[in-house]
Amino acid sequence: MWPLIKLLPVKTNFQFVKFARFAAILSAIAVVAALTRGLLPFEPPCGGLNCGIDFKGGTVLELTTAPKAVNLGALRASVDRLNLGDVQVQAFGSPTEALVRFQTPAGANPAETVDRVKAAVRAGLGDVRFERTDVVGPKVSGELFQAGLMALVLSIGLMLIYIWFRFELQFGVGAVVALFHDVFLTFGMIAFTGLEFSLSTVAAILTVIGYSMNDTVVVFDRLRENLRKYKTMPLREVIDLSINETLSRTVITGLTALLALAGLAIFGGPTLFGMSVVLMFGIVIGTYSSIYVAAPVILLWGVKRGDAPAEPIKPAKSAIVQR
C-alpha cells in the first residue's frame, strides 16, 4: 500500500457548522467582488472578461503541411511576430493539420491581415496549403456568447429539478445556491487573472458544475441516511457527522483530479492551460461550497423528521455455534 495513506485519519470530527456564519460572510464578499470585476467595465458582450475570438470575432485558418507533421512551435512563433494580440494555434485532426485563430486589429483591413498571416506562416513553415479561411463576425460571436450563457443557466435549472426529485426542495435550493456560488467565483477568477474566456472555458465551467453537484449529492445522500438513523440528534450535529463521514472520499477524489489537471496545465501547452486552471479552481471551490454553502442552507431551512427515535442496529448473529 501507499505508505502516506496511513497519514489520513480513519475518522474525523471537525465542527464545520461552527464556522458556517464566517464562511457565509466570506463567500458573500467574494461573490460581490467577482460579479463587480466580471461585469465592470460593462462592454458587450463580455464585460470585464477577456473574451477570446469565439466571442469577440476574428479569423480562423485551417492549414496542412502534409505529408510532414506541423511544427506547432514554429507556427505559433511565426504568427506571434505580427503582434495581432489574441492568437490561438492548435492541432486539428491529423498531425499534419493545424488551426490558427486571430483577431483583426482595430482599424485594419481583414483581407490584408489574412494575407499577412498567410505570408508569415509560409515563411516559417515552408510548404503550406490553406484548406479553409473563415471570418467570425460580431453577430456570430454574440450568438455564441448567448448560447454559452444559456447552456450554463439550463444546466443549473436541470440540476435543481434533479435534486428536488431525488431529495427535497430545500436540498435542491441548497445545491443550486452552491452552484451559483461556484459559477460566480469562477467567472471572477477568470476576470481577475485575465484568462481568456472562450468556448473551452464555458465547457470547463459546465464540468465544474457537474463536479460540484456530484460532490454535493454525496454529502446530501449521507445526510439523508443520517437523518433517518439519528432522528433525535440536532440537525447541526447530523450535518457535521455527514460531512465528516464523506470527507476522506472528497479529499482523495479532489486531490486525484487536481494532480491530473496540474499535469495537463504544465504539459498541455497554451491551448489547454486556461481550461486546466479553471477546472482546478472549480474543484477547490466546489468542495468548499458543498460543505459551507449547500449544507448550511439545509440548516437554515430545516427538514422534517419523525419524532420517534430510530431503531437500534442489531448485531449480526455469529456463524459459530457455541457448544
Side-chain angles (χ1 to χ4, degrees), residues 68-287:
K68 63 180 181 179
V70 178
N71 187 336
L72 295 179
L75 176 59
R76 181 180 295 277
S78 301
V79 181
D80 286 342
R81 295 192 190 99
L82 300 178
N83 297 322
L84 297 177
D86 182 20
V87 175
Q88 300 176 6
V89 175
Q90 65 184 75
F92 175 76
S94 66
T96 63
E97 298 176 324
L99 282 179
V100 179
R101 303 171 186 240
F102 59 90
Q103 290 180 292
T104 303
N109 188 305
E112 294 179 356
T113 304
V114 171
D115 292 338
R116 288 175 54 208
V117 172
K118 289 183 177 180
V121 171
R122 288 193 179 97
L125 299 183
D127 187 14
V128 179
R129 186 172 67 256
F130 294 95
E131 302 287 343
R132 178 169 61 96
T133 302
D134 291 336
V135 177
V136 181
K139 182 178 180 180
V140 176
S141 61
E143 292 175 354
L144 289 175
F145 184 78
Q146 294 176 6
L149 289 183
M150 285 298 297
L152 294 176
V153 174
L154 181 61
S155 64
I156 294 177
L158 292 176
M159 295 291 182
L160 171 61
I161 296 174
Y162 167 73
I163 296 298
W164 188 352
F165 276 97
R166 176 163 180 177
F167 298 95
E168 298 178 24
L169 178 60
Q170 57 266 43
F171 287 86
V173 172
V176 168
V177 170
L179 289 181
F180 274 112
H181 170 273
D182 298 343
V183 171
F184 290 155
L185 290 190
T186 304
F187 273 111
M189 186 276 294
I190 295 171
F192 276 110
T193 58
L195 290 174
E196 181 185 274
F197 183 69
S198 61
L199 288 178
S200 62
T201 309
V202 174
I205 295 176
L206 289 173
T207 306
V208 168
I209 290 175
Y211 182 90
S212 177
M213 178 57 67
N214 177 71
D215 204 25
T216 303
V217 166
V218 170
V219 176
F220 281 177
D221 201 47
R222 184 58 59 90
L223 176 59
R224 182 174 59 177
E225 292 178 4
N226 287 333
L227 286 172
R228 296 171 178 172
K229 184 177 179 182
Y230 305 103
K231 294 184 178 181
T232 59
M233 180 183 292
L235 181 57
R236 61 188 304 118
E237 295 182 13
V238 179
I239 292 176
D240 278 338
L241 175 64
S242 303
I243 296 175
N244 278 286
E245 289 180 347
T246 58
L247 187 61
S248 60
R249 175 263 177 203
T250 301
V251 171
I252 293 175
T253 304
L255 286 178
T256 303
L258 288 175
L259 289 175
L261 290 171
L264 190 64
I266 295 173
F267 302 106
T271 304
L272 299 177
F273 177 78
M275 185 181 68
S276 304
V277 172
V278 171
L279 286 172
M280 293 172 67
F281 179 83
I283 287 175
V284 175
I285 292 299
T287 302

